[in-house]
Amino acid sequence: MASLAQQFTGLRCPPLSSSRFSVKPKQTQKVGAFASPIVSAVAVSNAQTKDRLELKKMFEDAYERCRTAPMEGVAFTVEDFQNALEKYDFDSELGTKVKGTVFCTDGNGALVDITAKSSAYLPVQEASIHKIKHVEEVGIVPGLREEFMIIGENEADDSLILSLRSIQYELAWERCRQLQAEDVVVKGKVVGANKGGVVALVEGLRGFVPFSQISSKATAEELLDKELPLKFVEVDEEQSRLVFSNRKAMADSQAQLGIGSVVLGTVQSLKPYGAFIDIGGINGLLHVSQISHDRVSDIATVLQPGDTLKVMILSHDRERGRVSLSTKKLEPTPGDMIRNPTLVFEKAEEMAQTFRQRIAQAEAMARADMLRFQPESGLTLSSDGILGPLASDLPAEGLDLSDVPEAEEV
C-alpha cells in the first residue's frame, strides 16, 4: 500500500467538471460548511463568559465598597436625604395646615398641589368664611399659593379635602377677642332675627344681640339689613357664643358728643320743623331755625334724605336721648348753607373752633361774675376781663352790698 501511494505522489489530474466523479469536491465543501458554525459558537461562548466574569467582578467590587466605605464618592448625604423627606413629606392628619398652590378651578371648587402623592381638593363651600358661588369671587385662581387646612379625605381616590374657611374662622375669633379686649365699637349688619333678638354679622361671624341690648324701639323687621354700632359682651369660641350690645355702643358714642364738636351725619327724614340726622347710630334733630342764618321756607330745597353733611352738636340730653344739631353755626357768612353748602363743610372745623372759643370765653366770664363777690375764692376779674388773683384794691372782707338798690320789674 505504501509503494502504491508513493507511485501516485506528484501526479496531477485536471478536474473533470463533466464527469460524475466530480462529486467528491462537493463533499469537501460540505465538510467545510459544517466546520464554520462550530468555530463561531465557540467564539460567542467565550465572549459571554468574559462578560459574565467582568460583571461578576464589578458586583463584587461594588459590594466590597458598600461594606467597607458606603459613602465614598457619594455627593448626596444622609442629611440631604432627610431634608428632602421633610420638604416633600407632611402630616396628613385632620386639622393639619399645609402650603399649596392652586392649579385648576371649576364650578365646584379648586384643585390644589400640596406635593402629596395625589392632588387635594378645595370645595367652594370651604373657600371662604362668606357665602360664595364660585371660588374666583374670593381671588382663588390658578397660581395662588396659600395655606390650607386638611379637613377630610376622599375615599374614592385617597385625595385630601382642604379648607380656607376653617383658617379664616380661627382668625375671626382671634380678632373678636382682640376687639373685646380693646373695648371698641364695631359695626354689625343685621342678617336675621328670632323672638329674643337679632343676629348680626361681625368679622364674618354671626353674633346675637338681645332686644334688651338694643337702644332703639325698632322692630326686628325694621332692623333687618341695617348696620348697628355694637360692643362685645361675650366671646366664647369653644361654646360658639358671640353676644353684642347696642346700648353699650350707643352710650360710648354719646359720651363722645361734646358741645361744639363736629360730626358727620346722614339725613334720615325730613319734617316741617326740621331734619333728623343719623350721627353714628344716634338720631339728632337739625331744627329748621338751625340750618342757616337766612330763613329756610322749605327744607327740601336745602336737604334731601340720604344726603351726607357735617353738623355741630348744640346740646345733648343723655337722659332723654335727644341731640340738637346745627349747620347755622358753621356758616362762614350768613346764608352759605343755602348758597354754598360745600364751603360750609370745608370750613366746618374752623368755624366750630371759633364757636367753642366763644363758648369757653362766655363760661369764663360767667364764672368770673360768680367769683366777683366771693373774695374767699382768692380770684377776681380784672378790668380787662381776665380772671386772676384777688386784686389788692378790693377789701379782704368783701364788698358792702347794703346800698345796692333792689331790682325793679320792667
Side-chain angles (χ1 to χ4, degrees):
M1 292 292 292
S3 60
L4 182 62
Q6 291 175 357
Q7 292 178 10
F8 284 98
T9 301
L11 295 179
R12 293 185 179 181
C13 298
L16 302 176
S17 57
S18 59
S19 173
R20 59 182 180 180
F21 298 102
S22 62
V23 176
K24 290 182 179 181
K26 293 182 180 180
Q27 292 177 354
T28 303
Q29 291 177 359
K30 286 183 180 181
V31 173
F34 282 156
S36 177
I38 294 174
V39 173
S40 299
V42 173
V44 170
S45 177
N46 292 337
Q48 290 177 346
T49 301
K50 183 179 180 181
D51 290 342
R52 290 192 184 97
L53 291 175
E54 291 179 355
L55 187 60
K56 179 181 179 183
K57 182 68 168 56
M58 185 185 302
F59 276 108
E60 289 175 348
D61 293 343
Y63 172 77
E64 186 64 20
R65 285 198 305 270
C66 291
R67 188 177 65 83
T68 58
M71 301 306 297
E72 182 180 354
V74 179
F76 192 76
T77 64
V78 175
E79 290 77 10
D80 294 334
F81 181 68
Q82 184 64 32
N83 292 335
L85 288 179
E86 294 177 357
K87 180 178 180 181
Y88 293 103
D89 193 18
F90 59 89
D91 186 4
S92 59
E93 293 184 0
L94 299 185
T96 302
K97 295 179 181 179
V98 295
K99 286 282 188 178
T101 303
V102 177
F103 66 89
C104 180
T105 61
D106 56 30
N108 297 320
L111 285 170
V112 184
D113 178 17
I114 56 173
T115 65
K117 60 182 180 181
S118 61
S119 60
Y121 194 70
L122 175 69
V124 64
Q125 62 268 22
E126 292 294 333
S128 175
I129 196 172
H130 304 286
K131 289 185 177 181
I132 59 173
K133 294 182 178 180
H134 304 284
V135 293
E136 290 84 356
E137 297 177 23
V138 289
I140 299 177
V141 295
L144 174 70
R145 184 166 180 79
E146 190 59 83
E147 186 178 51
F148 302 87
M149 180 181 289
I150 299 174
I151 62 170
E153 183 177 357
N154 189 346
E155 297 181 356
D157 56 3
D158 293 333
S159 62
L160 298 175
I161 301 176
L162 306 179
S163 174
L164 282 174
R165 179 171 170 266
S166 299
I167 296 179
Q168 292 172 1
Y169 261 117
E170 290 182 354
L171 295 175
W173 280 106
E174 179 62 30
R175 177 62 174 160
C176 287
R177 285 191 292 269
Q178 179 183 355
L179 293 173
Q180 183 188 32
E182 295 174 358
D183 195 32
V184 298
V185 176
V186 298
K187 288 285 188 178
K189 183 178 180 180
V190 178
V191 295
N194 55 38
K195 62 180 182 180
V198 298
V199 178
L201 199 63
V202 175
E203 296 292 331
L205 300 176
R206 296 166 71 91
F208 183 64
V209 189
F211 282 127
S212 62
Q213 292 298 317
I214 298 178
S215 60
S216 69
K217 297 181 180 180
T219 64
E221 291 75 14
E222 293 172 340
L223 293 174
L224 197 62
D225 293 329
K226 290 187 177 180
E227 285 192 343
L228 297 178
L230 303 170
K231 269 198 167 185
F232 291 90
V233 175
E234 183 179 359
V235 179
D236 189 342
E237 182 179 1
E238 292 184 359
Q239 301 296 326
S240 296
R241 284 177 58 85
L242 194 59
V243 183
F244 302 105
S245 172
N246 172 247
R247 285 188 178 276
K248 289 186 177 182
M250 296 296 289
D252 186 75
S253 299
Q254 291 177 3
Q256 300 176 3
L257 296 179
I259 305 302
S261 60
V262 176
V263 294
L264 192 65
T266 304
V267 178
Q268 295 292 342
S269 61
L270 301 180
K271 302 295 181 182
Y273 50 84
F276 284 98
I277 313 295
D278 177 16
I279 49 174
I282 302 174
N283 274 334
L285 175 63
L286 177 60
H287 195 271
V288 63
S289 64
Q290 287 296 327
I291 294 178
S292 176
H293 284 84
D294 289 357
R295 184 175 181 273
V296 178
S297 56
D298 185 4
I299 301 177
T301 61
V302 183
L303 301 172
Q304 287 293 325
D307 287 351
T308 300
L309 71 165
K310 288 183 178 180
V311 292
M312 190 178 72
I313 307 297
L314 279 185
S315 65
H316 183 199
D317 186 346
R318 288 180 173 82
E319 294 183 359
R320 305 176 65 181
R322 294 182 178 180
V323 180
S324 297
L325 308 174
S326 175
T327 54
K328 175 181 178 178
K329 303 297 184 183
L330 301 178
E331 289 183 321
T333 56
D336 281 343
M337 191 60 195
I338 299 174
R339 295 186 296 271
N340 190 3
T342 302
L343 178 63
V344 176
F345 303 148
E346 289 177 354
K347 299 286 186 178
E349 283 75 15
E350 181 181 337
M351 297 302 299
Q353 178 64 23
T354 303
F355 176 81
R356 288 192 293 268
Q357 290 175 352
R358 291 200 303 264
I359 293 295
Q361 186 176 6
E363 290 177 349
M365 293 289 289
R367 288 193 299 269
D369 287 341
M370 294 177 63
L371 294 171
R372 186 187 299 277
F373 303 110
Q374 297 178 9
E376 66 273 10
S377 66
L379 299 175
T380 186
L381 191 68
S382 68
S383 58
D384 296 330
I386 300 176
L387 190 66
L390 183 65
S392 59
D393 56 344
L394 293 177
E397 65 275 10
L399 297 175
D400 183 8
L401 303 180
S402 59
D403 295 333
V404 177
E406 297 180 359
E408 299 180 356
E409 293 184 1
V410 178

